[in-house]
Amino acid sequence: MSQRDLAIRAEGLVKHFKDVKAVDGVDLEVPTGTVYGVLGPNGAGKTTTVRMLATLLRPDAGNATVFGHDLLTDAASVRSQVSLTGQYASLDEDLTGAENLVLLSRLYGYAKPAARERAGDLLEAFGLSAAAGKQVKAYSGGMRRRLDIAASIIVTPKLLFLDEPTTGLDPRSRNQVWDVIRTIVAEGTTVLLTTQYLEEADQLASRIAVIDTGKVIAEGTPGQLKSSVGAGSIRVRLHHADQRAHAQGVLAEALAVEVALDDDPVALTARLAPGQDTAEQGSHVLGELARAGILVDDFSLGQPSLDEVFLSLTDRIDV
Amino acid sequence: MTVTQTDTKSDVDAPAPVAKEHLRRLLATGERPAAPSAFASARAFAWRSMLKIKHVPEQLGDILVFPIIMLLMFTYLFGGAIAGGTGEYLQFLLPGIMVMSIVMTTIYTGMSVNIDINKGVSDRFRTLPIWRAAPMVGYLLADMFRYAAAGAIMFGTGLVMGYRPEGGAVGVLLGVGLLLVFCFAFSWVWTWLGLITRSEKTVMSISMSILFPMTFLSNVMVDPSTMPGWLQPVVKNTPISQLVDGVRGLFDGTVDSVSVLTTLIWSGGFVAVFGFLTIRAYNRK
Ligand SMILES: Nc1ncnc2c1ncn2[C@@H]1O[C@H](COP(=O)(O)OP(=O)(O)O)[C@@H](O)[C@H]1O
Ligand SMILES: [Mg+2]
């Protein structure tokens, strides 16, 4: 990939806090115009990495360029292209939602009337008009997130950092944030998203770096990552308990894996092999069951969890 | 086959859904206003501080009530003993106590900087393409307003108690102006301290242990010529004593240009040294 197509090229980023190696040699290549996921558990070094890339922390070693601008020697140019929605709301709690956006619009260079207009438009687009005059400290978690993201797109950035934008949100707010992220990327902004959830990275990102204890331990498309893990599963609940033995045979043959019988007398689970795509195998199996005349009450696909991804990745390193 | 859907309790005051089409249009404008000037960005931060006063007016209480208490307490407590009468002592004390109590409230600036820097909002400010000193200068501009308000209230209280400035309105305005210039400059010590310390309590205790001796070892309350000989040169030459000499001279109409000049030089020094240290600490945070 040529330098020109990269939003971020980071090489050997290191940041230590006393004896904690928060980030321990991270390389990243983030293509422009996509969502890039940085996936890792609590304490993996995601926030520290993002803060270095957003010019908030000076790396102890290594360097990065953002759209070709050097992080260390040309921080001002980097700042003019990026914006950051931090893990903890980057808003002034004492001010109202509207005041926050007007203040920031002014700091981006809008004159007062234009700043008011921009703030009003953003509040409306984010469904926050009714709460515009309330102090941010009275906002719910979901509303804060939205206001925070609104603040990050006052001037459409070329690169947006979103640090765990959905952690702690209820499913509805989370879906709204996902929709916002998709819209932002569709309009041409590159997004670097950190998350603890494989599902979230899978839904949004076109490439994912998995990081643990300050190091990138895997990188690739969501499909590549999951197939390297292959711990997805298919769970079926039957209409008739007496069809279970038959169903077990059909599943075992269709998937070429062992099929376990659950404690529930009408349920059975197949754990997929590495390399098998959960969604693809799911529809295949459903067809086979229908053809065999087996009635199904409930059918669910389990994605490998982040835990499973980790176990498998760390296993592979140990071997 | 049943499609199971997890039911989530809907928030009572759940916001309206995101208007995707509207959002798309806002993103697509691609508007990029020119970055604000250094002054415009500092002014925006000053506006923020004023909004905070509006939303949390209690913070103004301390700053306005404290000086009045100081004035009343020292006039009636020490007046008889030091000057043989409260009226005469007030005439000597008012400019000094005004300097002392307003200089003491400058530590709030350091505490606010410290509280801010530990919150997410300063991450956002620090990723904006603006003049790096703007947030601090913004604070200080808003603080000038508080100090002027505190000065006016003290002066008003003094007038009621019988204070009469010989220097007239011009002298008083120039005196308060000199005090504000010094406070603006001196506050950079606290912005720096606010950036390099862990908590606002640390800021408070360090700045108090500097300010107490600095303001008491001065000519605020007593004439230094009553002090032991070895102490006099020290007391007479602290920046606070020079400032008090200047303000007192302007209020009394007996202005001594040396103390005014010395105060301005001290002010320039504070801005140069601690302004530099503040910006360096801010960039390294
Ligand atoms: N300012 C700091 N001082 C000391 N340790 C820190 C600091 N910031 C992060 N750490 C430590 O660095 C490690 C990585 O933290 P972080 O980047 O916040 O991880 P993540 O965002 O993935 O949860 C953790 O062990 C954390 O405790
Ligand atoms: Mg984090």
Side-chain angles (χ1 to χ4, degrees):
Chain A
M1 199 174 302
S2 86
Q3 182 87 30
R4 187 170 303 176
D5 303 325
L6 288 179
I8 302 174
R9 176 200 288 275
E11 276 166 14
L13 287 179
V14 172
K15 186 76 195 178
H16 294 188
F17 296 107
K18 304 249 165 59
D19 43 356
V20 181
K21 293 179 176 173
V23 174
D24 197 18
V26 162
D27 301 331
L28 286 178
E29 290 200 344
V30 176
T32 55
T34 59
V35 178
Y36 191 92
V38 172
L39 175 69
N42 229 336
K46 303 184 295 296
T47 298
T48 309
T49 304
V50 164
R51 288 174 60 85
M52 284 192 280
L53 292 172
T55 75
L56 290 170
L57 266 183
R58 182 171 276 270
D60 293 338
N63 198 0
T65 54
V66 174
F67 297 109
H69 299 290
D70 187 294
L71 210 58
L72 299 176
T73 59
D74 196 8
S77 299
V78 174
R79 282 185 204 114
S80 69
Q81 319 241 6
V82 306
S83 65
L84 166 73
T85 299
Q87 185 170 358
Y88 308 102
S90 337
L91 300 162
D92 192 324
E93 303 258 310
D94 290 333
L95 305 191
T96 67
E99 286 165 350
N100 266 285
L101 293 185
V102 172
L103 171 68
L104 290 163
S105 301
R106 302 217 65 195
L107 291 171
Y108 275 110
Y110 282 98
K112 198 144 198 177
R116 288 219 186 91
E117 195 186 320
R118 186 77 184 165
D121 279 347
L122 284 164
L123 287 164
E124 203 176 310
F126 279 85
L128 292 170
S129 293
K134 275 197 210 160
Q135 277 179 291
V136 171
K137 57 169 81 129
Y139 277 31
S140 71
M143 291 158 74
R144 264 168 218 241
R145 262 301 147 203
R146 288 196 204 178
L147 185 64
D148 214 358
I149 297 177
S152 297
I153 59 165
I154 288 172
V155 168
T156 311
K158 281 178 76 178
L159 170 64
L160 173 62
F161 294 103
L162 291 170
D163 194 6
E164 298 198 25
T166 63
T167 302
L169 297 189
D170 60 88
R172 208 175 68 167
S173 305
R174 187 197 59 187
N175 285 330
Q176 296 260 338
V177 169
W178 284 2
D179 277 348
V180 168
I181 296 173
R182 291 191 184 104
T183 311
I184 290 174
V185 172
E187 289 304 314
T189 294
T190 306
V191 171
L192 188 142
L193 166 91
T194 79
T195 179
Q196 301 190 29
Y197 311 116
L198 180 61
E199 189 203 352
E200 179 161 284
D202 191 15
Q203 284 277 333
L204 299 170
S206 34
R207 288 191 81 82
I208 300 176
V210 183
I211 84 168
D212 188 29
T213 59
K215 288 196 168 75
V216 176
I217 56 173
E219 209 269 349
T221 65
Q224 287 169 342
L225 274 181
K226 278 187 295 179
S227 60
S228 77
V229 175
S233 62
I234 293 175
R235 186 167 182 272
V236 184
R237 284 191 88 235
L238 304 173
H239 195 62
H240 301 294
D242 54 13
Q243 288 189 321
R244 192 154 81 152
H246 186 192
Q248 189 178 21
V250 171
L251 285 178
E253 190 171 329
L255 298 168
V257 296
E258 249 176 67
V259 179
L261 300 176
D262 293 2
D263 292 341
D264 182 347
V266 292
L268 58 171
T269 303
R271 192 152 281 277
L272 299 181
Q276 283 182 317
D277 183 88
T278 320
E280 221 170 75
Q281 297 300 330
S283 26
H284 171 55
V285 160
L286 206 50
E288 292 295 309
L289 288 171
R291 198 150 2 145
I294 297 170
L295 297 180
V296 173
D297 260 354
D298 197 43
F299 185 86
S300 55
L301 301 178
Q303 295 281 7
S305 70
L306 179 54
D307 281 347
E308 286 167 315
V309 172
F310 274 112
L311 280 178
S312 133
L313 287 169
T314 37
D315 271 0
R316 205 172 47 193
I317 287 164
D318 291 344
V319 164
Chain B
M1 198 184 326
T2 55
V3 180
T4 41
Q5 195 184 351
T6 352
D7 251 44
T8 50
K9 244 189 307 170
S10 66
D11 234 319
V12 190
D13 54 359
V18 171
K20 269 186 274 184
E21 202 36 47
H22 192 173
L23 175 59
R24 213 187 49 70
R25 279 200 308 275
L26 289 179
L27 285 161
T29 55
E31 240 180 324
R32 229 163 232 289
S37 68
F39 177 70
S41 45
R43 201 178 47 191
F45 280 104
W47 178 68
R48 164 176 180 248
S49 291
M50 300 302 273
L51 286 174
K52 276 174 175 288
I53 296 178
K54 191 181 93 186
H55 288 297
V56 196
E58 303 89 277
Q59 56 177 313
L60 210 52
D62 290 1
I63 285 173
L64 297 184
V65 173
F66 175 71
I68 296 178
I69 294 176
M70 296 276 280
L71 180 60
L72 292 172
M73 206 167 67
F74 283 105
T75 307
Y76 295 115
L77 202 63
F78 293 153
I82 294 174
T86 51
E88 224 172 299
Y89 187 52
L90 179 64
Q91 212 58 32
F92 172 80
L93 178 70
L94 186 117
I97 203 82
M98 187 184 281
V99 167
M100 181 175 179
S101 41
I102 292 179
V103 168
M104 279 211 175
T105 52
T106 57
I107 64 172
Y108 282 99
T109 311
M111 289 167 67
S112 324
V113 167
N114 184 274
I115 290 168
D116 244 17
I117 204 76
N118 291 321
K119 286 199 177 149
V121 68
S122 75
D123 280 358
R124 183 169 300 283
F125 296 150
R126 291 173 63 223
T127 49
L128 291 173
I130 51 171
W131 182 40
R132 299 296 272 169
M136 269 78 66
V137 175
Y139 271 128
L140 297 181
L141 289 178
D143 285 341
M144 291 304 105
F145 162 80
R146 303 188 209 203
Y147 302 153
I153 284 200
M154 283 188 95
F155 188 74
T157 312
L159 283 183
V160 171
M161 290 164 70
Y163 178 74
R164 293 294 173 266
E166 299 293 323
V170 175
V172 170
L173 287 179
L174 285 175
V176 172
L178 184 67
L179 172 58
L180 293 187
V181 167
F182 180 83
C183 285
F184 178 88
F186 186 60
S187 296
W188 289 97
V189 180
W190 310 139
T191 55
W192 176 61
L193 197 65
L195 287 172
I196 60 167
T197 46
R198 208 174 280 273
S199 79
E200 83 226 53
K201 292 202 185 76
T202 325
V203 179
M204 172 82 131
S205 60
I206 295 179
S207 45
M208 272 303 183
S209 57
I210 295 172
L211 268 185
F212 254 104
M214 203 169 146
T215 47
F216 276 88
L217 280 177
S218 73
N219 54 1
V220 166
M221 263 144 327
V222 292
D223 186 338
S225 55
T226 62
M227 298 175 188
W230 58 269
L231 191 59
Q232 288 186 23
V234 179
V235 168
K236 279 182 182 160
N237 289 302
T238 67
I240 297 287
S241 293
Q242 293 295 321
L243 171 63
V244 172
D245 271 343
V247 174
R248 193 175 272 150
L250 287 163
F251 277 24
D252 290 347
T254 57
V255 63
D256 158 21
S257 56
V258 174
S259 59
V260 172
L261 198 65
T262 316
T263 301
L264 293 176
I265 292 171
W266 272 110
S267 301
F270 281 125
V271 174
V273 174
F274 290 96
F276 169 77
L277 289 174
T278 297
I279 300 304
R280 202 181 59 159
Y282 187 72
N283 282 331
R284 289 200 176 166
K285 195 70 194 177

